[in-house]
Every structure is written in structure tokens, then in C-alpha cells.
Amino acid sequence: MGFDAGSRSAQRPRCGPGGARWRGRAGPSRGPRAGRQPLSAGLRGRREGPSWPHPAASAGPAEQPRSPSPSAPAGRDRGARPVSAMRSSSAWAWQELLALLCSVWLWVGAAQRTGPTPTAQSQGPKLKFRLAGYPRKHNEGRIEVFYNEEWGTICDDDFTLANAHVLCRHLGFVAATGWAHSAKYGKGVGRVWLDNVNCGGSEKSIVDCRSRGWGNSDCSHEEDAGVICKDERIPGYMDSNIIEAEQNQVEELRLRPVVSGSRKRLPVTEGVVEVRYKEGWAQICDEGWNHKNSRVVCGMMGFPAEKKVNRNFYKLYLERQQLSYRLHSVACTGNEVHISMCPFEFYKGNATAACKGGMPAVVSCKPGPLFTTGSALKKKKQGQQQGQRVRLKGGAKAGEGRVEVLKNSEWGTICDDRWNLLTASVVCRELGFGSAKEALTGARMGQGMGPIHMNEVQCTGSEKSLWSCPYKNITAEDCKHSEDAGVRCNIPYMGYETMIRIVGGRTPTEGRVEVKRGSKWGTVCSEGWTTKEAMVACRQLGLGYSLHAVTETWYWDASNVTEMVLSGVRCAGHEMALSHCQHHGNSLNCKKMGTHFAAGVICSETASDLLLHAPLVQETAYIEDRPLHMLYCAAEENCLSSTARNANWPYGHRRLLRFSSQIHNHGRADFRPKAGRHSWVWHECHRHYHSMDIFTHYDLLTPNGSKVAEGHKASFCLEDTECQEDVAKRYECANFGEQGITVGCWDLYRHDIDCQWIDITDVRPGNYILQVVINPNYEVAESDFTNNAMKCNCKYDGHRIWVHNCHIGDAFSEEANKRFEQYPGQLNNQIV
């Protein structure tokens, strides 16, 4: 007798108000290693229905009941039996199956009627969540989950802000503001419970997100994820997962100057060490206090080292003050990045009578070169630059950037394998900053070019230089520039952000610039206001990079300030405040004094970073004698030297040095033309649009720096010619399309297109330097302008040309640049 599920529906026993309803699964169930699954599968069972034929077999594919083939031998699996016996056995099996289905349906129905709470599940093991690790505040830390009677962590693979939103709600916060990777808050212990978690952000529980399954992870605790939650609690939230500030936690620390002359000076380099306690500040007893503790405090304050302090002077002064002690018995090793990581004890109860025989801990710190005032500044800067073997590139603020090291006279990057806060702190202190605030991985400060010199750098924290730490050399398979390491260092508080503000913008990152001169706020003259000045303004505001320098701000006129207080601002681009740039001082000189023409900015957390692929220039350079009758369009676009106007057109030729240019965007934002499509200029001769007046400068220089030939190229077609494997093209010029270069892509200008040359018709034989500068007029903001110039050695004998030693302008050491044919060329496109 055949079996048809549909034909037997009328005979099914009803095990509830709606009968026994079930449906088979559409496809095979994948295990944790085959693909991601909802975490609820491990906690609540499969709600889509029981597996066939038994609930325990949930790992295999769910099969629908099948009708036996009439020609198939009956009972092949269990031996030959009579047909009637098989029929009765089938009927019995069907009844047993229906009973089983009914029981499962009733259990699922009961489970569904009990609504789950936002942070706990009605079935399966109860989950708990907590924040851990140091240094941190009460609303941030390493996320840990209690599952199967054991605390464990979550891996940072594929972690997103959406995951952090769900986890922060588990902890009773309304949302997340960020997340951290690579064990920023220290390495956890126990199991790594979850890996490759993928939430949408709206889930009520982490169990509703997809992952590899509970306990299925290939991560170590060096990849523990952390979350930063918005410091706002869910109204009426009552749950065991509420995380209070731990008793042995110090969130904030300061140096309080007590000498009258030093109270107004910034940075504060000496004073009483105080910790935040409740609504005020408390002191640390100095019993057992030593220079190692002072080193940790100075690192937190942004200083590379400590120095001795006159304890007796402070003891006399502090005896007259009311003190409240909070900590004592601090015993740091000197390598910690935060005092919370040191052993210490809290005073309990009334601490006013504590620390008998001692006094508040006092610390004096040595500032780095950037924060040294007076005549010692120049000497320190010169000493640091000579023989410097570590530098930071691509950061928006002082003390942050991609870490680059000098080896064999060539700058290169560091792979982020095992990159941590201890190693990052050695870099920060070597460069004159404090300890590390963040150890950045995954090219968070943009990708570098050239060699990767170091991998798996493991410092203890006490080293004077990164080169004193153990490390591994790089092989071709080890790392890519997508794994370049970076740092964010603690820097001294200078108060620069209190002297500038932006008003009237649509968002907090844009508006008209107003600065404070004395006690008066006023606007800034927009004459000569360029991307470099806007970069300094955004840096001073703490808003990252400049996206646009705005010279007409009539639509941002939302302030009562009408007076102009600053004009003639000229910045190099690296200053920390507009007051450090050249300006007219108190003698204002501005043609347009109205507020509608005051300077403004649009800032951004990310920026593009263009680099020219130097080896391709060297490989493709050659000379062509091109007939004049083929150069009419090029002459119209000023791509020939000025002497071409006097040539006997259309007869004769021009000698051209041709080469290809491959321009990469290694930043963190797409490179887009400054002007929108509505203002692009159509050129009929070449039949294309110009989105920028000048995109590159091509120059031929003599060894003493004199320019003998030049060319330029308008960006008539900025597009993604090719991209890295995991990056999709976004910009294409065809059909009046959007122009730009996507992050991870490059634009190729072949040697055989017009204007991709330098006209060397009038150049005599000799030794020269070929120099190419991208974005020479700073029309588009970038995270790093110092790598926009490329230079090569050239030898021209009147018939042939040899181009060799092509490199980015700042890729070599200072000594190597001095050996570069007597004249190093323009190292960057900044005119000092």
C-alpha cells in the first residue's frame, strides 16, 4: 500500500485546537563549519518543525515521506516480510510518528506562548553578559558571555557595529557607539564562544544572529572583541546583566598643578596625581611610590618619560589642603599603558585620615618635541629627525597614523600580526608621545607602499626603540599592505579645541570657522583659504580631515558673530592649530570683510590618499617624435611647451618623453573631483569632460633644481581601471558617468594617450630628474600629501633616454636622497 501525506490528512488525529501542523525543512541543515546558523538552533531547538524521522537527527537533511516504488522489493532493509505485515507495520509506524509529532508540536507551542525577555531565553541555557578588561570605562570593554556554565569571549572576525548594538542592549544600554578588535581591552580566558557573528542590528538577542555556532571558532584570545556602548540606560531596565563599574577600576586620571605659575600653562607637566571619584577627585597615597608608577602616569598624560620632582616642596604646600585619598600601594612595572593595569588597593570608608606618614603622589613629566616650548624646541626637533627610524603616516591628528620603519635606507610598513598595546607604546614613546591608546590593525590608517619590513613584533614595553624588540622578517606569503599596523598615542592636553568652533552647518562636522583671539570670537578671512588651512582647522576641532575648504559661507550665517579677527592664514598642513600658521596678526587685511565670505570647512573622519606606482613609469618611458599635424588637440589643451607656438604647423614634429601613470587610492575614502558634474568643462577636440583643471604636473629638472621642461594633465577621465580582488569598480567615464578613484582601485593613464608626456624638444643632452606630482594644487583633500611626488633619474643623450631609480619622494632615507644625483628633487608637493 502506498503512502500519500495529502490523502491521509483527514485521518490524522488532532492533538490540539488546530491539529498536528508540520512542514518539512526546505533543504539540508548545515553544521557550524558548513555555514552560519542562527544561534537559537543551539538554545531553543528548530522551530520550523521536527526533523524526519527523529528529532535527534537534526544534523542531516530533512526528507519528505516517500511512496515506495511498486517494483521495488518489499522490506529490502530488514529482510523479506509479507505484504500484510508490512502494511500493519506501516500503519503502526504512522501512528507512532503522529504521536511524536503531536508531542513536539505541543512543546513548541508552549515555548512560543512564553515570550522571551530581551536578554534571556525561555529555553535552553540562560545567557549572561558582562564587560571586562582594562583600561576602560563602565560602558565599554571586552564582551564576555556566560554559556553552558562557563564564561567566554566573542571573536572579532566579521564583527560589525550591528553586533555591538545587540550586545549593548543585552547589557542594558540603548545602543552602541563603536566596537574594538584585537583584544583592545586585554585578552580573555576560557572558551571563545562565538565566531563570525552576523547581526542585522534589530535582533532582540544575540541568539537570533547568525554565526558558526556555540564553541565553534578558530580564533585565539588575541582576537577578542569589545564594545563601546552609549552611556544611556534602557528605561526601566532590570536584569542581572547590569554591569556596574568594578571596584578595582580607575576610569580617569589627571595632573593637578599646584604652583601658581604653572596653572595656566599648557601642557601640564607636573602636579598632584588625582583619580576621578564619584563627583570629584581624590588623591593617591605615595607610600611605595616610585619612578615606574610615574612613568605609567606620564604615559597616560601623553608624555614619553618622567623626571624627578621636589617632594619636600610639595609636602609643605599640601599640608594646608584638605585631602581625600582613594588609592594606595600602587606597584606598576613601568610598562603598563594604564594605571588600572597595575596592582593597587582602595581605601575603604572614611579616607580623610588615611596615608599617615605619606603625602599625595606627585609626578613630573618630560614633554616630547612637539609639545616643548621655548628655545629647546628647535634643538629637540632637529635631534629627533636625524637618524629617525620610525615615523607615522596618514593620521588626521598628532600621535596617530600608520607605523613605518626605515630599513636599508628605505621606508616600509609593519604587519599587524600579534600587534598589541605594549608594542604600540614603544612606538609612541620613541616618537615623543605617551603610551598607546590604541593598537590599530587592518590598515586602519590607510595602506602603505613599498616593502613590509617587520612582522610579529613583540615588545615588552621597556624598549627605547621598536628596533630593539624581537620580530620576524617578512616572506612573500606572510602579509599584505591591507594588514599594515597603526597606532593612536596619548598626547598632552593643549586646549586647542577651545580656541576654535564651527557654526551654522547642517551637521556637526561642517560650518563657518570662528576663532577666539584674546577674549573675542570672530571669523577668518577666506582669501587664500585652501585645503591645507582647512586641514589644520579640522585637526584643531578634532573632526579628522578636511573634505572641502569653503570660501563663501552665506548659507551658514547662523551666528551673532560679525567681526573678522584673523586674515592672511597660510598653513603648511601639519600644524596642530591655526594660530601656529602664518597670519597677519592684529593687522587685518581682507578685501571681503563680510561674514558671507568668511572661511568655512567640511570635515570628514576619512580621506583619500593617492600614490603613483613608480616602477611602471620606469618600465614604460620612451621617446617619440610626433608629427605636428597629430598634435592640434594637445596644443589646444596646453600640453606642449611654449615654443611649439612658433613651430611651422602642420609640418615638423615635437619630441615627447612618454610614460604610463598608474595612480592608486590607498586611503580610506574615494577620491572625487572637487567640482560636481554640473561644472565640468566639455572639450570638443578630445570630446571629453575635464573634472579638474590640473590633476598632475610632469617636470624635468636639472640636478640643481632648475625646470627645463614641464607638462600637465587635466583629469579628463578619473575612473577605476582595475581594482583589488575584493573591491568592485564604482567610477566609469562612459556616458557622462561619475568620475573618481575607489579605495583599493587605481586609474591607469597609458603612455599612448594625448598629454601623457613631457615635451623635451628644446632639452639638451644631459642628466636630469623626472618628477611627477599628483594633485599639485591641493584641490582635493588627502590624508597624506607628502607621498604625492615621484621622481626618477634620467640620462638623455639626444637620441635615447634612460629612466631609472624611480621612487616616491619620501620613500628613502635622508642620506639616500642626498645621494640622488646631487639634487633630491621635490620630496613632496608642499612649498615651504
Side-chain angles (χ1 to χ4, degrees):
M1 162 179 161
F3 169 70
D4 180 18
S7 64
R8 298 298 300 269
S9 60
Q11 303 176 26
R12 295 176 184 171
R14 299 175 63 87
C15 44
R21 298 186 296 269
W22 65 281
R23 65 173 185 265
R25 283 182 287 173
S29 172
R30 296 180 295 177
R33 296 187 180 275
R36 298 176 183 172
Q37 61 180 348
L39 298 176
S40 54
L43 290 173
R44 296 195 292 257
R46 309 285 187 179
R47 292 197 176 183
E48 292 296 322
S51 302
W52 182 278
H54 191 276
S58 60
E63 300 178 359
Q64 297 289 346
R66 295 176 297 177
S67 300
S69 171
S71 59
R76 175 179 296 175
D77 296 333
R78 299 182 181 271
R81 290 195 292 176
V83 174
S84 60
M86 186 186 75
R87 288 176 180 174
S88 62
S89 176
S90 298
W92 178 85
W94 171 239
Q95 293 173 359
E96 288 292 314
L97 177 61
L98 286 179
L100 177 62
L101 291 174
C102 288
S103 63
V104 172
W105 178 84
L106 287 172
W107 179 81
V108 171
Q112 289 175 339
R113 284 192 293 270
T114 305
T117 63
T119 57
Q121 289 69 45
S122 302
Q123 306 83 24
K126 179 176 175 59
L127 298 181
K128 296 180 182 179
F129 299 84
R130 71 182 181 189
L131 295 174
Y134 300 102
R136 68 179 184 87
K137 297 183 179 180
H138 67 280
N139 58 326
E140 64 176 329
R142 180 178 63 250
I143 184 69
E144 295 189 349
V145 57
F146 188 74
Y147 172 78
N148 200 22
E149 303 302 318
E150 183 180 355
W151 284 102
T153 61
I154 298 177
C155 182
D156 61 8
D157 288 352
D158 298 334
F159 206 87
T160 63
L161 187 61
N163 298 351
H165 282 312
V166 176
L167 290 165
C168 284
R169 288 197 294 270
H170 272 299
L171 296 164
F173 297 99
V174 295
T177 59
W179 61 277
H181 59 87
S182 304
K184 174 186 174 181
Y185 300 101
K187 294 186 287 187
V189 295
R191 300 280 296 275
V192 179
W193 276 127
L194 295 174
D195 190 5
N196 298 113
V197 181
N198 183 10
C199 301
S202 60
E203 292 86 352
K204 292 184 177 180
S205 171
I206 195 69
V207 300
D208 298 324
C209 305
R210 307 191 73 84
S211 80
R212 297 178 64 171
W214 291 97
N216 185 9
S217 172
D218 59 359
C219 296
S220 69
H221 283 297
E222 292 181 346
E223 302 170 83
D224 285 344
V227 295
I228 301 99
C229 302
K230 185 177 180 180
D231 196 5
E232 180 182 345
R233 306 293 291 181
I234 297 174
Y237 187 89
M238 295 294 295
D239 193 270
S240 59
N241 286 322
I242 292 179
I243 304 298
E244 299 294 344
E246 297 182 26
Q247 292 300 308
N248 60 342
Q249 184 176 334
V250 177
E251 291 187 5
E252 194 174 350
L253 183 144
R254 75 175 184 180
L255 284 183
R256 177 171 62 87
V258 296
V259 181
S260 58
S262 62
R263 291 177 184 176
K264 295 182 179 181
R265 286 202 306 263
L266 291 176
V268 175
T269 59
E270 183 174 304
V272 177
V273 183
E274 296 185 332
V275 296
R276 172 73 74 179
Y277 180 55
K278 295 182 178 178
E279 299 300 322
W281 295 89
Q283 292 78 43
I284 302 175
C285 181
D286 73 344
E287 290 180 351
W289 189 270
N290 57 33
H291 70 95
K292 295 179 181 179
N293 299 337
S294 298
R295 173 179 163 86
V296 174
V297 170
C298 288
M300 292 175 62
M301 296 292 100
F303 304 109
E306 77 290 349
K307 61 182 180 181
K308 290 184 178 180
V309 64
N310 187 345
R311 185 175 181 271
N312 293 328
F313 167 80
Y314 281 93
K315 188 171 184 178
L316 292 172
Y317 184 86
L318 294 171
E319 283 179 348
R320 302 188 298 269
Q321 293 189 359
Q322 181 70 30
L323 302 173
S324 175
Y325 291 98
R326 174 71 172 149
L327 272 68
H328 67 96
S329 302
V330 181
C332 301
T333 65
N335 301 330
E336 295 87 351
V337 298
H338 196 282
I339 200 170
S340 292
M341 306 176 76
C342 303
F344 57 81
E345 295 182 21
F346 284 96
Y347 283 110
K348 297 180 180 179
N350 184 11
T352 56
C355 197
K356 292 183 178 179
M359 60 173 278
V362 179
V363 165
S364 182
C365 305
K366 295 179 182 179
L370 278 179
F371 307 98
T372 304
T373 57
S375 59
L377 177 61
K378 292 184 178 179
K379 293 181 180 179
K380 281 197 173 186
K381 280 190 175 181
Q382 290 174 357
Q384 187 187 45
Q385 290 174 356
Q386 292 176 356
Q388 181 179 330
R389 299 181 65 192
V390 180
R391 69 183 183 186
L392 300 181
K393 300 282 284 183
K397 306 174 186 176
E400 70 175 29
R402 179 179 62 254
V403 181
E404 295 189 353
V405 292
L406 185 65
K407 184 178 181 180
N408 298 328
S409 298
E410 187 173 5
W411 288 99
T413 61
I414 299 176
C415 186
D416 62 10
D417 291 351
R418 305 188 71 181
W419 186 252
N420 58 29
L421 282 172
L422 286 177
T423 306
S425 291
V426 173
V427 172
C428 291
R429 290 183 187 271
E430 184 177 358
L431 294 173
F433 305 109
S435 53
K437 187 161 48 177
E438 288 186 72
L440 303 173
T441 60
R444 291 271 299 279
M445 287 294 171
Q447 297 184 25
M449 285 194 76
I452 302 175
H453 285 320
M454 306 171 81
N455 187 22
E456 296 191 23
V457 188
Q458 289 292 284
C459 302
T460 63
S462 60
E463 296 85 354
K464 296 293 185 183
S465 172
L466 188 69
W467 287 102
S468 302
C469 305
Y471 68 93
K472 292 184 179 180
N473 291 316
I474 293 290
T475 63
E477 296 79 17
D478 280 342
C479 291
K480 300 178 181 178
H481 280 296
S482 58
E483 302 170 79
D484 285 343
V487 295
R488 282 198 179 100
C489 306
N490 288 315
I491 63 172
Y493 175 74
M494 301 298 294
Y496 293 138
E497 71 279 5
T498 64
M499 307 301 292
I500 189 173
R501 66 189 183 191
I502 50 176
V503 296
R506 299 162 296 180
T507 68
T509 59
E510 68 175 28
R512 188 178 69 195
V513 176
E514 295 180 357
V515 296
K516 191 175 183 180
R517 301 276 292 171
S519 60
K520 183 169 55 178
W521 286 93
T523 60
V524 179
C525 179
S526 64
E527 292 174 15
W529 185 259
T530 67
T531 300
K532 290 184 289 184
E533 288 74 36
M535 291 287 274
V536 175
C538 290
R539 180 179 299 120
Q540 185 175 356
L541 288 160
L543 297 177
Y545 308 94
S546 165
L547 192 62
H548 292 296
V550 183
T551 55
E552 294 185 12
T553 54
W554 53 271
Y555 44 88
W556 285 341
D557 191 11
S559 171
N560 294 327
V561 174
T562 58
E563 187 177 354
M564 187 168 289
V565 296
L566 194 62
S567 66
V569 180
R570 295 292 182 274
C571 302
H574 56 75
E575 297 88 349
M576 289 187 287
L578 288 177
S579 59
H580 298 169
C581 304
Q582 295 180 0
H583 54 83
H584 291 157
N586 296 326
S587 303
L588 294 178
N589 183 9
C590 187
K591 295 179 182 178
K592 298 179 180 179
M593 299 286 289
T595 57
H596 293 175
F597 297 98
V601 293
I602 301 176
C603 304
S604 173
E605 291 184 359
T606 58
S608 60
D609 186 19
L610 298 187
L611 292 95
L612 185 66
H613 187 55
L616 185 64
V617 176
Q618 182 170 315
E619 295 164 5
T620 57
Y622 66 96
I623 287 177
E624 179 192 10
D625 290 335
R626 192 161 184 83
L628 284 174
H629 68 84
M630 302 177 69
L631 293 172
Y632 278 104
C633 285
E636 182 181 310
E637 296 188 8
N638 297 319
C639 293
L640 301 175
S641 65
S642 57
T643 59
R645 302 172 186 169
N646 303 323
N648 187 20
W649 292 80
Y651 308 104
H653 65 271
R654 303 297 293 181
R655 177 157 290 184
L656 309 175
L657 170 58
R658 310 195 71 147
F659 50 87
S660 297
S661 295
Q662 185 172 296
I663 299 169
H664 295 246
N665 183 1
H666 282 188
R668 292 183 291 152
D670 294 352
F671 184 91
R672 299 298 307 278
K674 179 180 179 180
R677 283 194 292 182
H678 64 281
S679 59
W680 293 355
V681 179
W682 172 258
H683 280 248
E684 183 65 30
C685 192
H686 278 135
R687 301 193 64 79
H688 56 243
Y689 284 94
H690 283 199
S691 58
M692 293 173 65
D693 292 334
I694 295 178
F695 180 51
T696 52
H697 270 165
Y698 304 147
D699 298 316
L700 200 64
L701 310 172
T702 63
N704 65 6
S706 301
K707 190 180 298 184
V708 295
E710 63 180 332
H712 79 276
K713 185 165 193 61
S715 63
F716 61 80
C717 182
L718 280 175
E719 65 178 3
D720 298 327
T721 308
E722 295 291 341
C723 298
Q724 297 174 2
E725 290 182 4
D726 55 343
V727 179
K729 298 179 182 179
R730 298 181 60 185
Y731 303 106
E732 188 175 2
C733 297
N735 301 318
F736 195 39
E738 289 287 353
Q739 294 191 22
I741 306 176
T742 305
V743 176
C745 298
W746 56 89
D747 190 4
L748 175 64
Y749 294 95
R750 288 174 51 89
H751 56 83
D752 54 358
I753 64 176
D754 268 5
C755 299
Q756 189 59 38
W757 62 55
I758 299 178
D759 185 354
I760 62 170
T761 306
D762 307 314
V763 175
R764 297 178 179 179
N767 293 323
Y768 299 97
I769 293 173
L770 169 63
Q771 183 169 270
V772 179
V773 183
I774 308 168
N775 192 18
N777 297 336
Y778 303 94
E779 290 190 37
V780 178
E782 298 185 51
S783 61
D784 186 6
F785 288 110
T786 63
N787 56 13
N788 283 19
M790 184 227 66
K791 55 184 181 178
C792 308
N793 286 124
C794 295
K795 184 175 180 62
Y796 176 50
D797 66 359
H799 305 284
R800 296 167 296 178
I801 194 164
W802 290 268
V803 177
H804 59 98
N805 201 18
C806 294
H807 62 280
I808 300 298
D810 65 346
F812 288 169
S813 67
E814 187 176 348
E815 293 76 12
N817 278 322
K818 288 179 180 178
R819 296 193 300 268
F820 185 78
E821 294 288 343
Q822 302 176 28
Y823 175 71
Q826 189 177 333
L827 296 182
N828 52 57
N829 61 349
Q830 296 182 1
I831 307 300
V832 181

